[in-house]
Each structure stands twice: as C-alpha cells, then as structure tokens.
Amino acid sequence: MSLSLEKSSISLLLLLFFAITTTSSAHNITRILAKHPEFSTFNQYLTLTHLASEINRRLTITVCTVDNAAMDDLLDKHMSIYTLKNVLSFHVFADYFGSKQLHRITKGTTLTATLFQATGEAPGTSGYVNITNLKGKKVGFATEDNDGHFSANFVKSVQEIPYNISVIQISNIITSAAAEAPVAAPADIDLIDLMSKKGCKEFAKLLQNSKITKQFTDLVENGLTVFCPIDKVVNSFLPKYKNLTKNGQISLLLYHGIPDYHSLGMLRSKNGFINTMATTNGKNNKYDFSVKNDGDNVKLETNIVTAKITETLLDEEPLAVYKIDKVLQPSELFKAQSINSDDTAPEPSSGNDDGDSSSDSDDSTNNNNGAMIMSVNSGWLITF
C-alpha cells in the first residue's frame, strides 16, 4: 500500500510540474508588446477592446501591430471603442505567419481569416486579408478586393514563437470599409433588474443595500462578468453573511464579479485562477478563485466551496451574467472546515480581511505554497 501511495505521490508531482511548465509557456501579447514602447498605443487598445485576452487564449495566431504614429492616425477618426475593436480584430490573423512564411507564400499570394471574420459581424468574406509577396522582397496587406492596392507593408518581425504566435510590425493600418463601419453601443442594461427577474433577487438586494451597485455598473463599458447565486442559497447563507463585518460583506459581494468580460467559451478554456473585483480591496489578499471545465459544466472553486454555473442570464459583450448554485466564499473571509462536502457550511472568520484562512483543527496544516495536509482515515491526504 505504501508503495502504491508513493507512486501516486510521484505521479501527482509530475502532473503538477507539467501543468506549471505548460502554463508558463503560454504567450501573452500584452507582455510581448510592453517590451517595445513604440507599440504602446496599439497595446493599450488591445486591452481596452478585450482583444488581448482573445489573442492569449488562441493556440495559433499572428498579430500585425503598428507604431504609435499609425495608431494616432486611426484615433483621429474618433471611432467608438466597438468600431475600434473590429478594426484591430482585422489585424489579427487566425494562422501563423512568421517572417520566413511571409516571403515564401505559395504562388505569391494568399487569403487569411482574421478575428473580425470570426466575430460573424463581417459581411461575406470581408473579414479576410490578402497577403501578397511583392517585388523587391516586400510583402503587402490589403482587403480581399483591393484592385492591386496594398494599404500596408511588412516592416519587421517583433517576436515569433513557432508555430504559436507571430507578432509583426506593418507600416500602416489596413484599411477596411467593413471593419470601420460604425458599431452601435449596446443598450444600457439595468443589472439589478436583470438579476431580480431571473431568480437572483436576493443577491440583487444585497448589492443595493450595501450601496456598491455603482462599482459593478461602472465596469460594464470596459468589461464585466457577474456570478449571481440563486435566491434559495442566498437565503440560507444570510446568517453567515450578517456575521461578517461591513467590509467583509462588501468583499464577499465584490468576490462575485470579474472586472473583465468572459463568455462561457472563454471560461471553459480558462482552467485556472482568476482575480475578482474584491482583489483590489485587500493589499495582501488575493480574493481569487479557480475556474474549471468539467465536461458540459463550468465550475468555480474556492478553498471553501465549489459552485456550478447553471444558466446564462446575459452574454452580450462587454457584459456577461451567470447564475450559480452556491454563494462563492473566499478563504480570506471563511475558514475551511471540510473538503469532502460542498454542502458543509463553513463558519465566518473574524471578517477583518486579514487573509487568515487556516483551520483551527490540529488535523490540518497549510504551507506557504497553498498545500493542505489533512488526516483522513488514519492516512494522509495532500491537496493543492
């Protein structure tokens, strides 16, 4: 039995090692462009339009960046943030084109799909870019129907991770009437009214009574994801909620919001820790939870409970609202008492936001790396 346990422990450590190394090798467009100040404006608008997160979750991608001067010319057109997103999406290809690939295009020209085409908002095939290897070792970029006129040329390779991500500089913004067509802003949505009518009335009341609704609505324009627990679980949780300090209650409510837009598909591909609106409230507290893809389900795991997304109330970028079957409880506010039952109700901690999530029991200990060692049936269970 001890040999079997030892093998299992080794297997677990190997899995953790591969998971860590795989995660660390993922590309991050924001970090790549941050090394080059001449692309700071382009980098900024990738974040503001939420394209950065879309780029980062793609396995194979090419990003055509432009310098700050070229971005200034684009911004002088005073487009809405939604139109700018379409324009920048037109500069992200759903395929890999490094410097060598650009100069070795079969038959000298090719069409490639962009993220603008992937949105479904591009009329016909207007979301495709024509890449042509021109004379004098130049490479031109234009819309599919360009009459031989190329609005941008290849300048240099910024960074390449074959065949994962290629970041290249082009001379100008690739002009596209379809991408630059005005996009209307989404209609204003009453978040409290939406949740109240969709089975989350009690959670909506807590937001209103705590007077932090504005902190949620102020984030909608730049991206917001909200997880609202159903009325039944909120009602049963109220005694513990009332035992928290006022700051603790606010942190708990903010813990149910993510300051960024996440579609259900993005959450399924996340499979990792995610920061919440409560993260900025504490200096030393993380206030994060783990998103896990479990078949057709998306689960949100704190150190205290595991909640499941049961329904999508709204998914219209930049706002997503999901119904969940449990109140999310951060370890910064509650002490873990059991790890083998989601229905076990943990007691609140002192509620002073000191980040203490250790158990009072002598049967479990926490180390600084987030591992918990717990005595179970005369054996030892190690969780991470």
Side-chain angles (χ1 to χ4, degrees):
M1 179 177 178
S2 61
L3 181 59
S4 177
L5 180 60
E6 182 179 352
K7 289 182 178 179
S8 298
S9 300
I10 293 173
S11 298
L12 176 61
L13 290 173
L14 286 173
L15 284 172
L16 287 171
F17 171 78
F18 287 124
I20 292 170
T21 54
T22 300
T23 301
S24 63
S25 64
H27 60 258
N28 186 306
I29 185 61
T30 305
R31 292 177 184 172
I32 291 173
L33 292 178
K35 301 174 185 176
H36 306 273
E38 66 271 26
F39 306 131
S40 60
T41 306
F42 185 87
N43 195 15
Q44 176 189 0
Y45 277 89
L46 285 185
T47 300
L48 290 176
T49 57
H50 307 291
L51 279 172
S53 57
E54 178 72 10
I55 292 168
N56 291 340
R57 75 182 185 88
R58 295 270 179 163
L59 296 179
T60 304
I61 206 84
T62 298
V63 180
C64 299
T65 184
V66 295
D67 62 22
N68 294 338
M71 278 299 296
D72 287 342
D73 292 339
L74 176 64
L75 296 177
D76 284 343
K77 296 181 180 181
H78 303 291
M79 299 174 177
S80 71
I81 193 70
Y82 309 103
T83 303
L84 278 172
K85 180 175 183 178
N86 284 346
V87 173
L88 296 184
S89 295
F90 195 67
H91 291 71
V92 183
F93 307 154
D95 203 349
Y96 181 86
F97 289 95
S99 178
K100 292 182 179 179
Q101 286 75 17
L102 289 173
H103 290 93
R104 295 176 182 175
I105 294 175
T106 304
K107 297 182 180 180
T109 186
T110 187
L111 286 177
T112 187
T114 68
L115 290 192
F116 178 47
Q117 183 71 25
T119 63
E121 298 179 11
T125 57
S126 59
Y128 283 80
V129 167
N130 179 306
I131 307 175
T132 299
N133 194 359
L134 304 170
K135 295 180 179 179
K137 296 183 179 181
K138 290 184 178 181
V139 178
F141 301 85
T143 56
E144 180 182 4
D145 185 15
N146 59 77
D147 295 327
H149 174 70
F150 293 88
S151 53
N153 294 317
F154 172 73
V155 177
K156 67 179 181 181
S157 174
V158 178
Q159 184 166 336
E160 298 178 19
I161 307 177
Y163 287 84
N164 181 212
I165 184 172
S166 172
V167 183
I168 61 175
Q169 181 186 359
I170 59 177
S171 58
N172 304 294
I173 290 291
I174 307 171
T175 57
S176 165
E180 295 178 16
V183 178
D188 290 337
I189 297 171
D190 189 327
L191 185 60
I192 297 299
D193 184 61
L194 172 69
M195 292 191 292
S196 298
K197 291 179 178 179
K198 298 289 187 177
C200 298
K201 185 176 182 179
E202 298 305 317
F203 184 74
K205 282 182 180 178
L206 294 180
L207 287 180
Q208 282 186 310
N209 294 338
S210 61
K211 299 180 180 179
I212 62 169
T213 306
K214 192 174 185 297
Q215 289 183 242
F216 281 81
T217 56
D218 283 350
L219 291 175
V220 171
E221 183 177 348
N222 290 325
L224 175 66
T225 303
V226 181
F227 302 99
C228 55
I230 58 177
D231 289 340
K232 180 181 177 180
V233 299
V234 172
N235 285 329
S236 63
F237 181 76
L238 280 178
K240 297 174 181 62
Y241 176 81
K242 292 177 180 178
N243 281 340
L244 294 172
T245 64
K246 183 178 179 180
N247 286 338
Q249 292 176 354
I250 291 175
S251 294
L252 178 75
L253 297 175
L254 294 177
Y255 192 61
H256 288 73
I258 300 174
D260 201 354
Y261 165 78
H262 289 274
S263 66
L264 203 57
M266 293 168 69
L267 289 173
R268 283 198 176 99
S269 64
K270 186 72 178 178
N271 270 330
F273 285 96
I274 194 164
N275 288 328
T276 67
M277 290 172 61
T279 300
T280 56
N281 274 15
K283 295 180 180 179
N284 300 316
N285 297 329
K286 292 183 178 179
Y287 281 106
D288 57 12
F289 56 77
S290 179
V291 180
K292 296 290 180 65
N293 184 9
D294 184 15
D296 293 333
N297 299 320
V298 175
K299 293 184 176 180
L300 315 176
E301 297 182 355
T302 76
N303 289 337
I304 313 299
V305 298
T306 297
K308 182 173 66 176
I309 294 178
T310 59
E311 184 181 344
T312 299
L313 303 188
L314 180 72
D315 185 2
E316 295 180 6
E317 192 170 1
L319 175 63
V321 184
Y322 304 102
K323 187 185 291 186
I324 56 177
D325 62 353
K326 284 184 176 65
V327 175
L328 297 175
Q329 301 172 42
S331 58
E332 285 83 357
L333 298 177
F334 297 90
K335 295 180 179 179
Q337 287 189 332
S338 173
I339 63 170
N340 51 17
S341 173
D342 285 345
D343 296 326
T344 302
E347 292 297 326
S349 68
S350 60
N352 58 4
D353 293 345
D354 59 1
D356 181 13
S357 60
S358 61
S359 172
D360 292 335
S361 169
D362 291 333
D363 290 335
S364 65
T365 58
N366 287 331
N367 65 22
N368 292 331
N369 294 321
M372 177 180 285
I373 305 174
M374 182 173 290
S375 176
V376 180
N377 296 331
S378 301
W380 293 97
L381 174 66
I382 304 176
T383 64
F384 294 85

